Amino acid sequence: MSDITMSVRGLRKVIGRKEIIGGIDFDLKQGEVFGFLGPNGAGKTTTIRMLVGLIKPTEGSIRVGGYDIARQFPEAMRQLGCIVENPELYPYLSGWANLEYFARMTEGIDEARIREVAELVGLTARIHDRVKTYSLGMRQRLGIAQALLGRPRVLILDEPTNGLDPSGIREMREFIRYLAEHEGLTVFVSSHLLGEIQLMCDRVAIISKGRVVQVGEVKVLLARQERLSWKLDPLAEGMQILGTLTESLAQEGDRVVTPYVESEAGSWNRALVQAGVTVLEMTRRRPTLEDLFLELTGGQTID
């Protein structure tokens, strides 16, 4: 499909006798922000390093812009821009001189393109200042400008908000959304800030123990986890009635928790009332990405 900018199939990595990545699959689409989440030791960093060509997979394929990394490495890399960990910049050179230096490594990048990316990342007013005078957020933006010089289709950012203050985090989130929505870039983002990923991303993949355990649209994944919390009198009779209406229910203290099914909530409520059970409270619980992450990974800590 023409809107698929990166395709990963059967990706495995074995180091020594240990399988780090156990065969993962996902696609990235044009104009989306895709979040990649994983707890400590899940294989997230190893996966990113394979995606950007820093290490070779043991098995599987990675295609960027239709080019296979294993067989068409130069062509595939021209479709890809990335910042893994922190952007590497020369602090005693100006932002412009940094971009000129990196532009010389790729054919077809002229001064007009350098001006274009400087404007795109909002650094026009400071582009001729030395990088050592830049704030952390400005350095991150210059790093992204560097990654965009070659007009990639896919931009991979590893912890792009790391070390930023709340204002800087919001600006980076808005900038990443702008790149996807207005520039048509695919932006692949890994982060330990689950709240930011929830606000920023269209889709996410959650990796645990070297395998992708869930991938999909953020709003769809969270909708599946929505619950209704019921406070009933008498509780036991209310639980018995709800148990005939849904197989999935649990008791939490003095409440009963069921899935949230919008089309069924009203009829469940009527069934309780008609049976003489008083519905003291009915609360819709909206989960967060953190709730989903902890459930799928068994409470492991994210890196």
Side-chain angles (χ1 to χ4, degrees), residues 239-286:
M239 280 194 69
Q240 184 177 9
I241 293 167
L242 287 173
T244 66
L245 300 172
T246 176
E247 296 180 357
S248 179
L249 79 164
Q251 183 176 350
E252 294 183 1
D254 62 348
R255 296 173 183 269
V256 183
V257 178
T258 67
Y260 172 71
V261 184
E262 186 174 7
S263 60
E264 301 291 341
S267 62
W268 292 354
N269 183 61
R270 284 193 298 274
L272 289 164
V273 173
Q274 289 170 1
V277 175
T278 301
V279 180
L280 300 171
E281 189 177 314
M282 184 172 66
T283 305
R284 181 179 176 183
R285 291 186 182 176
R286 297 178 182 270

Side-chain angles (χ1 to χ4, degrees), residues 18-189:
K18 185 176 181 180
E19 184 181 67
I20 308 299
I21 301 297
I24 63 176
D25 305 88
F26 60 82
D27 292 322
L28 305 185
K29 302 175 184 178
Q30 182 176 350
E32 75 170 347
V33 182
F34 186 91
F36 194 58
L37 309 174
N40 289 316
K44 182 162 62 76
T45 300
T46 300
T47 300
I48 291 172
R49 290 182 178 276
M50 286 191 284
L51 296 183
V52 301
L54 292 177
I55 58 176
K56 291 184 178 181
T58 303
E59 291 180 16
S61 67
I62 303 166
R63 299 182 70 87
V64 190
Y67 296 101
D68 189 296
I69 283 184
R71 295 183 293 106
Q72 301 161 297
F73 187 80
E75 294 86 351
M77 288 299 102
R78 279 196 286 269
Q79 310 293 313
L80 188 66
C82 65
I83 301 178
V84 180
E85 298 176 353
N86 297 314
E88 296 297 331
L89 304 166
Y90 294 97
Y92 289 96
L93 295 178
S94 68
W96 181 274
N98 269 273
L99 294 179
E100 279 188 319
Y101 176 81
F102 291 108
R104 286 194 288 269
M105 299 181 185
T106 306
E107 293 181 4
I109 300 176
D110 54 17
E111 287 192 5
R113 179 56 180 170
I114 295 175
R115 283 194 297 271
E116 186 179 356
V117 295
E119 182 178 355
L120 180 61
V121 302
L123 285 177
T124 301
R126 297 286 307 277
I127 197 63
H128 293 290
D129 294 347
R130 290 187 180 183
V131 170
K132 69 176 182 178
T133 67
Y134 285 11
S135 67
L136 181 58
M138 292 171 64
R139 293 186 188 197
Q140 290 282 59
R141 285 174 176 263
L142 184 61
I144 292 174
Q146 170 195 327
L148 294 177
L149 281 170
R151 297 180 175 85
R153 297 186 66 190
V154 179
L155 178 63
I156 294 181
L157 302 177
D158 186 14
E159 298 287 354
T161 59
N162 195 27
L164 298 181
D165 61 22
S167 176
I169 290 173
R170 183 179 65 183
E171 289 180 2
M172 183 59 66
R173 181 210 315 151
E174 293 173 351
F175 176 59
I176 288 171
R177 289 297 324 168
Y178 176 86
L179 291 176
E181 294 172 5
H182 297 280
E183 298 296 318
L185 276 169
T186 300
V187 188
F188 177 103
V189 181

Side-chain angles (χ1 to χ4, degrees), residues 203-247:
R203 293 192 302 137
V204 295
I206 298 175
I207 183 173
S208 180
K209 299 177 182 178
R211 299 180 184 275
V212 171
V213 293
Q214 194 72 269
V215 60
E217 294 183 34
V218 174
K219 60 184 179 182
V220 173
L221 294 178
L222 296 183
R224 294 174 186 166
Q225 305 299 117
E226 287 196 63
R227 299 289 184 264
L228 272 178
S229 175
W230 307 78
K231 189 172 183 179
L232 308 172
D233 185 26
L235 177 63
E237 187 175 344
M239 280 194 69
Q240 184 177 9
I241 293 167
L242 287 173
T244 66
L245 300 172
T246 176
E247 296 180 357

